[in-house]
Amino acid sequence: MPSSSQQQTQSSHWQDRLAEVCREYNIQAPHFQLVSDRRGGRTAWSSIVTVYGKQIEARYWYDGRNLNNAREDAAEAALNWLSNQSNLSSGW
C-alpha cells in the first residue's frame, strides 16, 4: 500500500508537472479555479486553470469529494495545450 506521501505525489502529478513547466519556461504559475453546477439534488464540480494567458477547462465534472481530480484534469489539459504551442514546445 502506498504511503501517504506517495499518495500525495500521485494525486497532484499533473498539477506539479504543470507548475514545473511554467517555471522552466518562465511563465506565470498556473491559477486554478473551481466551478460548480447544480444538477438536481447534487452539485457537480470542475476546474479551470489559467496558464500563459489562456483559460483551459477540465474535460469532466466531478463529485464534491473529488475536487483534486478536477484540478488534475484541468492541469493535464493545460499541459497538452502548452505542448502544442510552437513558441514553447521547441524545447520539449
Side-chain angles (χ1 to χ4, degrees), residues 11 15 47 58 60 62 65-75:
S11 68
Q15 294 170 75
S47 182
Y60 305 108
Y62 296 86
R65 293 172 295 190
N66 300 310
L67 298 179
N68 192 58
N69 291 356
R71 287 187 291 267
E72 282 289 281
D73 189 7

Side-chain angles (χ1 to χ4, degrees), residues 5 7 16 21-22 32 43 48 51 59 63-64 66-67 74 79 85:
S5 64
Q7 289 174 342
D16 293 343
V21 167
C22 288
F32 290 89
T43 302
I48 299 170
V51 64
R59 296 165 293 183
D63 184 82
N66 300 310
L67 298 179
L79 279 167
Q85 300 307 300

Side-chain angles (χ1 to χ4, degrees), residues 3-77:
S3 71
S4 114
S5 64
Q6 287 173 325
Q7 289 174 342
Q8 177 65 24
T9 301
Q10 292 171 353
S11 68
S12 62
H13 169 79
W14 292 111
Q15 294 170 75
D16 293 343
R17 179 68 183 128
L18 179 59
E20 180 182 315
V21 167
C22 288
R23 280 191 302 274
E24 286 175 16
Y25 289 96
N26 295 317
I27 59 177
Q28 189 173 16
H31 173 74
F32 290 89
Q33 176 184 359
L34 290 171
V35 293
S36 64
D37 183 27
R38 185 90 174 143
R39 298 184 178 187
R42 301 183 63 148
T43 302
W45 294 87
S46 193
S47 182
I48 299 170
V49 61
T50 303
V51 64
Y52 202 54
K54 171 112 172 129
Q55 286 190 332
I56 300 159
E57 297 179 7
R59 296 165 293 183
Y60 305 108
W61 290 84
Y62 296 86
D63 184 82
R65 293 172 295 190
N66 300 310
L67 298 179
N68 192 58
N69 291 356
R71 287 187 291 267
E72 282 289 281
D73 189 7
E76 181 180 4

